[in-house]
Amino acid sequence: PLSYKLVKENCLINKITQNAKLDNICITDKDNTTVGFGGYDNKINTSSSSSIRGDKWQIPSKKLITYLKENNLLECDDLFIKIDIEGAEELILNDLKQLQQNKNAVIYLSIHPNFVNNKNKFCENILQLCQGYKNIFDSNLNPLSRESLKEMILTNEKYPSWGTRIGNFFEITLSNKEQ
């Protein structure tokens, strides 16, 4: 709720309310459930998958595909989706596979390999997902090979050059659009 409030205020300040739709929901692998956040170890505003516990806030959840269908976005001509779900990427891989059919969809996906339970299986699933996308780019929009992506996911290096200042977290862009 705190993040949602800040995003809402930011949209108002920057006068982008006409082009933005905000919903305070948790994207996950289940429809019509809730996910508890906050109140655990005094981490009241955390949303990483490693911290999804507590019951300070109960946020409604939906599958990504369900949300897109309900808002008539699934076949949108210019669909851009930024996904940063702090290590819960595994939960939406099936939905991302369905999005491959939208040739105009662009997915900007944050990857958090250090938060997943089984890095090898996660890597295999991400690489399988990428097979259905024509273009895979790194965060600088340089083409990203499957071998490089595999190395990025599986590295044991704590602070690799492609990661953030807090560790091996990075973004990739998936697209079937013609360049």
Side-chain angles (χ1 to χ4, degrees):
L2 299 176
S3 297
Y4 176 73
K5 180 181 175 191
L6 290 173
V7 169
K8 195 172 182 178
E9 289 173 6
N10 193 7
C11 286
L12 287 170
I13 290 167
N14 290 293
K15 299 180 172 90
I16 59 170
T17 55
Q18 297 287 339
N19 298 324
K21 179 178 182 335
L22 302 178
D23 291 299
N24 190 20
I25 64 168
C26 179
I27 298 297
T28 185
D29 60 341
K30 295 179 181 76
D31 284 325
N32 305 316
T33 62
T34 59
V35 176
F37 290 93
Y40 181 81
D41 284 349
N42 295 320
K43 295 177 181 176
I44 60 168
N45 196 28
T46 184
S47 62
S48 72
S49 66
S50 61
S51 301
I52 298 177
R53 47 188 167 231
D55 58 4
K56 186 169 178 84
W57 299 295
Q58 292 295 312
I59 308 300
S61 73
K62 287 187 184 181
K63 294 173 66 173
L64 178 60
I65 289 296
T66 301
Y67 179 80
L68 294 171
K69 283 179 182 176
E70 287 176 356
N71 290 282
N72 299 315
L73 296 170
L74 202 51
E75 299 301 323
C76 184
D77 286 338
D78 280 317
L79 182 60
F80 178 84
I81 303 173
K82 185 197 186 307
I83 301 171
D84 188 351
I85 53 178
E86 307 287 333
E89 298 88 75
E90 292 177 291
L91 298 178
I92 64 161
L93 291 178
N94 287 332
D95 286 358
L96 294 178
K97 285 178 186 172
Q98 288 183 52
L99 280 173
Q100 293 169 346
Q101 296 170 18
N102 181 330
K103 300 300 179 198
N104 295 312
V106 176
I107 313 299
Y108 188 67
L109 178 64
S110 293
I111 306 280
H112 302 80
N114 294 342
F115 289 165
V116 299
N117 291 325
N118 184 333
K119 266 192 188 183
N120 289 317
K121 182 155 180 54
F122 176 70
C123 181
E124 182 182 307
N125 290 337
I126 291 289
L127 293 175
Q128 184 180 26
L129 169 71
C130 289
Q131 286 179 337
Y133 285 95
K134 190 182 303 183
N135 305 300
I136 307 166
F137 300 104
D138 66 14
S139 59
N140 296 313
L141 292 180
N142 296 312
L144 184 62
S145 70
R146 290 173 47 84
E147 295 79 26
S148 294
L149 179 56
K150 181 177 181 178
E151 176 187 340
M152 292 168 78
I153 293 171
L154 294 178
T155 187
N156 289 322
E157 191 176 338
K158 188 163 179 144
Y159 297 101
S161 60
W162 58 80
T164 68
R165 63 180 171 75
I166 57 173
N168 186 23
F169 310 119
F170 57 92
E171 287 81 24
I172 62 172
T173 300
L174 304 169
S175 170
N176 280 322
K177 278 187 160 190
E178 294 297 325
Q179 292 186 355

